[in-house]
């Protein structure tokens, strides 16, 4: 059961990390709505803006100004949160790989590998927090901006809604939460299930040494008793 939980967590961690990275570096965080008076599709990302002509399919992209230039608070904070989520998710996934039982890393230390999985789960849970905050905040800001324009009957010719990159950010963050929960909660419940208990190697070695010592002492006692019995018999 423990191996199955590890593989499930690894599956979610792999795709969640990929979703977060793709979401951070793609250009469709917000896209023009269907009711816009536009003949082209405009997508805005965290780093550049792209326009795709609806007739010939030609796509042109323009980078934003330098990182040091002034940008909206929504853009700056979302960048920082998503980059943080990418780094933490990547580190958590790599740590999880070292903790898998099928990976030949510290094969004589099963207890240490369980602790590595726990650290990976904690890291993935931490990675999901900035990811979900950044993506949900960005989506909520886009929705509030559009609703405000509609409420005040202001029509600018183009209106935006959040796009698939934003959805990927949410999905990746939820996947990190799920993988982290499996590694920290579910795996802890089943850590003692199975033929091989997760005792530290040092304890197992101490038990084996103690067992050998007791066996030797018991054998020595039997030998002395046999010698005394032999002497008594001769007498």
């Amino acid at each position: 059961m423990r191996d199955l939980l590890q593989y499930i967590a690894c599956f979610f961690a792999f795709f969640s990390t990929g979703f977060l990275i793709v979401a951070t570096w793609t250009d469709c965080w917000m896209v023009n709505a269907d009711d816009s008076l536009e003949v082209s599709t405009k997508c805005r990302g965290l780093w550049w803006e792209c326009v795709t002509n609806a007739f010939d399919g030609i796509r042109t992209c323009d980078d934003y100004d330098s990182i040091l230039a002034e940008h909206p608070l929504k853009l700056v904070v979302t960048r920082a949160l998503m980059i943080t989520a990418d780094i933490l998710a990547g580190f958590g996934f790599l740590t999880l790989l070292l903790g898998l039982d099928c990976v030949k890393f510290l094969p004589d230390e099963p207890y240490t590998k369980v602790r590595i999985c726990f650290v990976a789960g904690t890291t993935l849970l931490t990675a999901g927090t900035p990811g979900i905050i950044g993506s949900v905040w960005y989506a909520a800001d886009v929705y509030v901006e559009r609703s405000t324009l509609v409420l005040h009957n202001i029509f600018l010719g183009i209106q935006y809604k959040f796009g698939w990159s934003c959805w990927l950010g949410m999905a990746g963050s939820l996947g990190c939460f799920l993988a982290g929960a499996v590694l920290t909660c579910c795996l802890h419940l089943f850590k003692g299930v199975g033929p091989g208990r997760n005792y530290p190697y040092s304890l197992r070695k101490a038990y084996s040494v103690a067992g050998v010592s007791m066996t030797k002492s018991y054998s020595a006692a039997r030998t002395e008793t046999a010698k005394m019995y032999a002497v008594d018999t001769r007498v």
Side-chain angles (χ1 to χ4, degrees):
M1 186 64 179
R2 189 185 68 185
D3 294 340
L4 179 61
L5 291 175
Q6 286 183 348
Y7 295 145
I8 292 175
C10 185
F11 174 82
F12 282 111
F14 174 76
F15 283 100
S16 300
T17 304
F19 286 169
L20 287 174
I21 295 176
V22 172
T24 305
W25 302 102
T26 48
D27 57 1
C28 200
W29 278 77
M30 55 190 301
V31 61
N32 57 323
D34 297 334
D35 53 357
S36 302
L37 299 178
E38 293 288 329
V39 295
S40 59
T41 302
K42 291 185 177 181
C43 289
R44 289 185 178 181
L46 302 179
W47 311 97
W48 54 79
E49 177 180 355
C50 295
V51 179
T52 304
N53 193 294
F55 295 105
D56 52 17
I58 297 178
R59 180 183 179 89
T60 57
C61 296
D62 295 326
D63 295 336
Y64 295 150
D65 295 333
S66 172
I67 299 178
L68 301 178
E70 293 185 2
H71 295 287
L73 180 63
K74 172 185 67 175
L75 185 64
V76 175
V77 174
T78 305
R79 283 178 177 178
L81 290 173
M82 293 305 297
I83 291 176
T84 303
D86 293 345
I87 295 174
L88 290 175
F91 177 76
F93 175 68
L94 294 178
T95 306
L96 174 58
L97 291 180
L98 297 178
L100 295 177
D101 292 336
C102 60
V103 177
K104 294 182 179 180
F105 177 75
L106 299 176
D108 297 329
E109 297 288 344
Y111 181 74
T112 303
K113 292 178 76 70
V114 171
R115 297 185 63 181
I116 290 175
C117 289
F118 183 82
V119 172
T122 305
T123 306
L124 289 171
L125 286 174
T126 307
T129 303
I132 197 67
I133 292 176
S135 55
V136 170
W137 183 30
Y138 193 97
D141 187 81
V142 172
Y143 178 79
V144 170
E145 181 180 353
R146 181 183 179 185
S147 300
T148 303
L149 294 176
V150 173
L151 183 63
H152 293 83
N153 293 324
I154 300 176
F155 187 69
L156 302 177
I158 181 173
Q159 297 181 0
Y160 287 96
K161 61 181 180 180
F162 47 93
W164 59 268
S165 296
C166 192
W167 286 109
L168 275 184
M170 297 180 191
S173 302
L174 294 177
C176 286
F177 283 134
L178 185 58
V182 170
L183 291 173
T184 55
C185 300
C186 299
L187 191 61
H188 179 74
L189 297 176
F190 293 97
K191 69 177 183 179
V193 177
R197 300 272 181 178
N198 295 316
Y199 298 121
Y201 179 72
S202 58
L203 294 179
R204 289 187 285 124
K205 185 177 180 180
Y207 292 154
S208 61
V209 171
V212 172
S213 300
M214 292 179 61
T215 303
K216 288 182 177 180
S217 60
Y218 179 70
S219 300
R222 289 188 60 184
T223 303
E224 294 296 332
T225 304
K227 290 181 178 180
M228 293 176 60
Y229 180 76
V231 171
D232 293 339
T233 305
R234 291 175 182 177
V235 174

